[in-house]
Amino acid sequence: MAEVDLVNTGLPLRLGDGGQLYFREGLPAVQPSLRPWEELRPVLKDPGSRPEGTAYLMYRDVCWPQHRESLEGHRLRYDLTVIPAARAGKEPVRTHGHYHATVPGSDLTYPELYHVVCGEAWFLLQRPGPTGATEVVVLRGRPGQYVLVPPGYGHVTVNVGKSTLVIANWVERHFASSFSEMRARGGAAYHVLDGPAGLELVPNPAYGEPVPVRMRDAFPLRALGLAEGEPSYPAGVREPERLGFLVDPGSWRDVLARAWQEGGLA
Ligand SMILES: [Fe+2]
């Protein structure tokens, strides 16, 4: 694969052959955290078929020095995740999956804002319940599209394409995610697997009776003022207040609900 400039980030970043990012024009380089396939073993449909080595790379807190003080003051962080195309048996490479922490003094968990930089993604979002999940939504994302993980949802991202998937996210910078629920149930409520007619959603038996899945193309987040195709780094640093919903979702409850409803999701 040729090297690719990640223009959708709005940063001088180039994607190398092995999933490494080149930080150019003086943008401070970030060392990636690596997620080995071995760590995905508990959440894979067929752990025995996993490849060796690194499944994906996480570059956290990418920023220009002149924006650092503002982003820290607004408690925001910009991350990039690079997921080279690969398969564990019939399962396309995916992230481990996690739930977000609850905002202190609130009944809401922190939301997250994703942006597809290049490649093709399915974002599986699920709301937890006593038997595992009460609701599952799959959003299909193409380059330039934003995807909201609303309060209350855990999520997994699958690289469903033939090329490297790069996703960016804006998120509250301090909270820790919880991986144990997904690990305990062997992944999310559905596995995405190759089937005879393309990719299929196969219920994970550890969740009991399957809950219906709603599948949608990613949709514009107009209520949040995010235009499809707007590069994601400048979209955040230009007016960090616009991303206040990531830090204090309780004050943005109506706006977040409206953004979700615009995708036909109530
Ligand atoms: Fe997350």
Side-chain angles (χ1 to χ4, degrees):
M1 193 186 76
E3 293 184 353
V4 179
D5 285 322
L6 301 181
V7 290
N8 279 329
T9 60
L11 290 169
L13 289 166
R14 182 170 285 177
L15 172 65
D17 271 347
Q20 74 278 29
L21 293 186
Y22 297 113
F23 290 70
R24 310 170 78 214
E25 298 176 22
L27 179 66
V30 168
Q31 285 307 309
S33 303
L34 307 181
R35 178 78 71 208
W37 277 100
E38 177 60 30
E39 287 181 12
L40 297 182
R41 176 205 286 264
V43 295
L44 293 174
K45 172 77 173 160
D46 178 10
S49 65
R50 73 192 183 286
E52 296 294 316
T54 299
Y56 56 95
L57 303 85
M58 296 162 281
Y59 292 83
R60 292 199 185 93
D61 204 9
V62 176
C63 92
W64 285 110
Q66 61 268 34
H67 298 141
R68 176 157 295 284
E69 192 180 335
S70 167
L71 292 182
E72 289 182 357
H74 288 91
R75 293 166 49 199
L76 293 168
R77 199 181 70 215
Y78 184 76
D79 308 324
L80 289 150
T81 304
V82 180
I83 312 176
R87 270 175 163 66
K90 292 183 173 178
E91 186 169 12
V93 58
R94 30 71 60 88
T95 59
H96 181 288
H98 60 224
Y99 285 98
H100 296 163
T102 303
V103 180
S106 164
D107 60 336
L108 300 177
T109 63
Y110 285 103
E112 187 165 13
L113 178 67
Y114 273 96
H115 187 229
V116 182
V117 176
C118 64
E120 244 185 289
W122 283 10
F123 295 87
L124 186 150
L125 279 51
Q126 67 181 40
R127 208 189 264 279
T131 58
T134 57
E135 192 194 332
V136 178
V137 174
V138 175
L139 297 173
R140 296 175 288 239
R142 289 178 290 101
Q145 290 187 301
Y146 286 92
V147 168
L148 173 68
V149 179
Y153 288 82
H155 67 101
V156 170
T157 309
V158 186
N159 177 358
V160 296
K162 292 186 167 61
S163 61
T164 298
L165 170 67
V166 180
I167 47 177
N169 67 270
W170 281 106
V171 70
E172 198 276 345
R173 64 183 295 120
H174 298 299
F175 80 81
S177 295
S178 172
F179 294 79
S180 56
E181 297 88 345
M182 297 263 191
R183 199 158 49 226
R185 291 190 191 268
Y190 285 82
H191 293 287
V192 177
L193 300 175
D194 289 325
L199 289 173
E200 291 178 348
L201 289 162
V202 177
N204 176 348
Y207 284 74
E209 190 63 29
V211 291
V213 182
R214 291 186 291 173
M215 199 151 187
R216 298 271 191 286
D217 288 331
F219 48 88
L221 299 171
R222 293 190 196 91
L224 299 173
L226 290 157
E228 198 172 299
E230 183 181 8
S232 45
Y233 182 79
V237 291
R238 200 175 53 240
E239 278 179 81
E241 298 77 15
R242 287 205 309 178
L243 301 185
F245 64 90
L246 296 172
V247 173
D248 179 19
S251 299
W252 293 69
R253 211 180 275 262
D254 295 347
V255 178
L256 287 163
R258 213 160 61 237
W260 200 231
Q261 284 157 9
E262 281 176 347
L265 298 159

